[in-house]
Structure formats: structure tokens, C-alpha cells
Amino acid sequence: MTSKQNFMEEKFLPIASKMGAQRHLIALRDGIVMVMPLLILGAFSMIVAEFPVEAYLNFMTNTFGENWNAFEGIIMNATYGIVALVACYGVSSSLVNSYKIDGTPAGIIALAAFFTTNIIGAYQDGDATVSAWAASTFDAHLLFTALIIALISGEIYRLLVQKNFTIKLPKSVPLSVSRQFVALLPGAVIILLFVIIRGLFSVTPWGSFPEFITTVISTPLRGFGTSYAGTLVAVFTEHFLWSLGIHGSAVIIFPLFEPMWIVNLQENLSNGAQNIVTQPFYENGIWMGGSGATLPVVVYMLVFAKSKLLKQIGRIGIGPGLFNINEPITFGLPIVLNPFLMIPFIAAPIVVLTIQYVGTAVGIFPYCNLMVPWTTPFFISGFLMTKSLMGVVAQMISFTAAFLVWLPFISIWDKKNYEMERLADNQ
């Protein structure tokens, strides 16, 4: 085992560390994380407005009238409806901040560039024709476009600032004013660039830059990334990196896969699409007690463990584990850089994914269409994200399967530690 640990530390750890520190991936992660509070608030409004208990709905209707749940649409437009804008700002500002440059002006310019590329439509309002952006411009439908524009804008902005292509005002000018003039010339270059891009794509078969991104990049990429095979890649890569001590969720899930799952979720809610893999499907279904589906391990250590080490880790890990935080387990057993426990750590979530995906595909389990925080305790999240008790049943079946995957490995590890503790006590 020591030789295998050394091999992983020498061959894989340096590569994984570089991936974890890659500034563009970090910027994508930060931008998507900024969207999370909006998605949770929007989902909460849906739960309140559509809670699946007839007595509750009748009570609310009788008390507040037929239109009592009109707030749902208002809140959804104000949360889910602007995720592309929030992510665009967040990614660009985070990227520029990583170069030790003020990222706030860059985020604002990225938003302007995003609007520059989107074509204003003409819509009938009675006898009048109104020019406006479609509401789908701002939501997750154009999330990929927003992320790409944010990265391009951020890189151009920081390059021009680093090359001193800025307007410098006297030191007597307040900093809050002079800082905005720093962004003037880079902003002009970026906006002009996207005006040219808009013009070039207007004469192509796609008609616009966002349509090109959606047709050529977003749709095919999402088709694979949210399939069973693509999600399997996500599960394996995330957990392999975690087993090396690298935050696999931050490196792979948040920046690369989560945008696709958010778009799937938006489609399910807005037009009744039946995308199986959504953000809650993964974060509240696969993360059972945290990455590696480790909640069954905590239960084993609390109930069945013989060694003092595992009993102690179980007592420490049960509180965080209920809220899907499992660092006491991954570093306490340890799982990190442990070739033996890496096997179930990777295999258990793959089994859970397979059960959840197949069960949803054949119609046994409901779709996961409501956002709940990833820290929501398992079983509770099963109901909240599906509005169905069958969501809880799906999690119970997955829990049992994960427990069976972990059982032979954790029992052997328990036995080994128990024997080591006995030997130490007899010396």
C-alpha cells in the first residue's frame, strides 16, 4: 500500500494540484456559486406555492384567494430568470481579481459585452411594436454564452490593464472616481470587439453569436455531459481527485458540469423537458453524506465498529455527515491517498448514480426539479427536490446499495485497526 501511495503522490498529485489552482476553472466555479442563492430562493418559492398536499393548497386558496401563489412567477423571474447575467458578472470579476486587479469594472464590462451580442427582438403589444430582449436572454438558456463572454472579456481586460492601456488621472482625484476611468479604454476595446463579432455572426447561418454557441457548443456538450456516460465521467473524476486530496468538486463539478445541470433544470421547469441529470439530482442524490456516498460508512462506524479509531471517527463524523460534509471521514479514516478505501469511495457513488439514473429513466423515481441546498440532510432532500415520497424511496434504495458496496472494505479496515490497537495495548 505504501508503494501505491508513493506512486500516486509522485505521478497524479502534481497534475491534480495544477488543475485545482487553474484560475479559469476557479473563476467559473466562483461565478456559478454566485448563482446558487438565487436558485435556492426560486426553488423555495416553488415549494411554498406548489407543496404537494391537497389540504394545504385548499387552505391557502380559501384563505388568500385563487391567485394566492402568483408570487411564484415573480420570484422565479427574479431568480432563475437572471442566472446568466449573475454568472457573467461573477466569472469575469473573479478571473480579473485572480490577477490582483480590481474585477468589479471587468464584471460590468462583461455584462455590457453580453448584451452587445444579443439581438433585440420586435414584439407586438396590442397595436404597437415593442423592441425588447427576450426573457430567455437572461436565464440559463444562454448560460454557456455568458460564461464564454465573461472569460474572453476578463482576459482582454486584465491584459490591457497590465499593459497600462488605461486613462490615468491625477492623484488628487478620489480613488473611487479614478478607478472607473481605468476601465474606460479596456471597456471600449471589449465592446467594440463584440460589436464586430455580432456583425460577423449576423451574416452566418446561425444569425447571432449566442445562437452559434448554443448550436455548436452548448447543446452537443450538454448532450454528452448530462447523459449517463457523461455523468459517470464526472463521478469518477471528482472522486478520483478527492482520493488524492484535491477538492474534486471544486475542480470538476462546479466549473464544468454544474452549468450544464443548471440548464437542464431550467429546461425542466420552463418547458416541461425531461432531463434526468440536474443539479439537485447530483448534489442531493449522489452526494450522500458528502462525496463518496460516505453516510453509510458513518452509520457502520457508529453501530458496528470495534476499533476505537473508527468509533471515534464515527462520533465526530455523524454531525457533519448528516449535512453532507465528510472531511472528518475522508481525512480521518483516512480515504485520501489510501488505495484500499479509494475503491469503495469511487465505486459507491457510481452505483448510486446508476440506480438513480435507471430508476428515473424507467419512470420509477421522479425527476429532481427543485433546488435545495446541498447541505440539506439526506432523505429530507429526497422529498424536497421531487415533491414526492418516491424521492425518499430512491434515496433509501441508494443508501442500502452504497452501504453494501462499502461494507466489505470498511469491515476489513475496522478489523485491521482493531488488531493494531490490541497489539499496542499488549505492549
Side-chain angles (χ1 to χ4, degrees), residues 141 222 226 260-278 360 366-369:
H141 288 94
R222 187 161 57 91
T226 63
M260 295 185 278
W261 299 336
I262 291 174
V263 176
N264 274 10
L265 182 64
Q266 178 87 44
E267 283 189 353
N268 287 2
L269 293 174
S270 61
N271 56 31
Q274 294 183 330
N275 297 306
I276 295 176
V277 182
T278 60
T360 306
Y367 289 89
C368 303
N369 286 340

Side-chain angles (χ1 to χ4, degrees), residues 16-31:
S17 298
K18 289 182 179 179
M19 290 178 61
Q22 213 288 321
R23 68 175 77 242
H24 298 90
L25 292 179
I26 292 175
L28 288 171
R29 179 201 66 193
D30 291 346

Side-chain angles (χ1 to χ4, degrees), residues 218-400:
S218 174
T219 300
L221 184 62
R222 187 161 57 91
F224 172 76
T226 63
S227 66
Y228 173 78
T231 312
L232 184 63
V233 172
V235 170
F236 176 83
T237 307
E238 177 200 5
H239 291 85
F240 180 71
L241 291 176
W242 262 118
S243 65
L244 297 177
I246 303 298
H247 198 307
S249 310
V251 174
I252 294 295
I253 299 303
F254 298 145
L256 300 182
F257 286 91
E258 203 163 72
M260 295 185 278
W261 299 336
I262 291 174
V263 176
N264 274 10
L265 182 64
Q266 178 87 44
E267 283 189 353
N268 287 2
L269 293 174
S270 61
N271 56 31
Q274 294 183 330
N275 297 306
I276 295 176
V277 182
T278 60
Q279 188 175 356
F281 172 91
Y282 193 94
E283 295 188 1
N284 300 101
I286 310 301
W287 290 347
M288 183 193 308
S291 298
T294 54
L295 188 58
V297 181
V298 179
V299 172
Y300 174 90
M301 290 189 292
L302 284 174
V303 178
F304 302 108
K306 295 182 178 179
S307 68
K308 296 177 182 177
L309 174 64
L310 269 66
K311 288 180 179 179
Q312 183 64 21
I313 294 174
R315 287 191 288 268
I316 295 173
I318 183 60
L322 290 174
F323 297 94
N324 299 322
I325 298 170
N326 66 350
E327 275 75 4
I329 309 302
T330 54
F331 294 99
L333 280 176
I335 295 171
V336 172
L337 294 176
N338 184 333
F340 182 68
L341 293 183
M342 279 174 56
I343 298 172
F345 184 77
I346 296 173
I350 290 176
V351 171
V352 171
L353 164 66
T354 304
I355 292 172
Q356 298 266 18
Y357 191 96
V358 173
T360 306
V362 300
I364 299 175
F365 304 146
Y367 289 89
C368 303
N369 286 340
L370 290 177
M371 270 290 301
V372 293
W374 63 268
T375 51
T376 304
F378 210 64
F379 302 128
I380 295 176
S381 63
F383 176 77
L384 293 178
M385 68 182 177
T386 62
K387 294 191 298 184
S388 171
L389 289 177
M390 284 304 296
V392 182
V393 173
Q395 290 189 330
M396 293 175 64
I397 295 172
S398 297
F399 181 93
T400 303

Side-chain angles (χ1 to χ4, degrees), residues 188-202:
V189 171
I190 292 169
I191 298 302
L192 178 60
L193 171 64
F194 280 99
V195 168
I196 295 172
I197 291 174
R198 174 183 172 134
L200 292 175
F201 275 94
S202 67

Side-chain angles (χ1 to χ4, degrees), residues 9 37 51 157 169 173 190 200 218 245 263 345 418:
E9 289 178 357
F51 195 73
Y157 181 87
L169 299 180
V173 177
I190 292 169
L200 292 175
S218 174
V263 176
F345 184 77
Y418 179 68

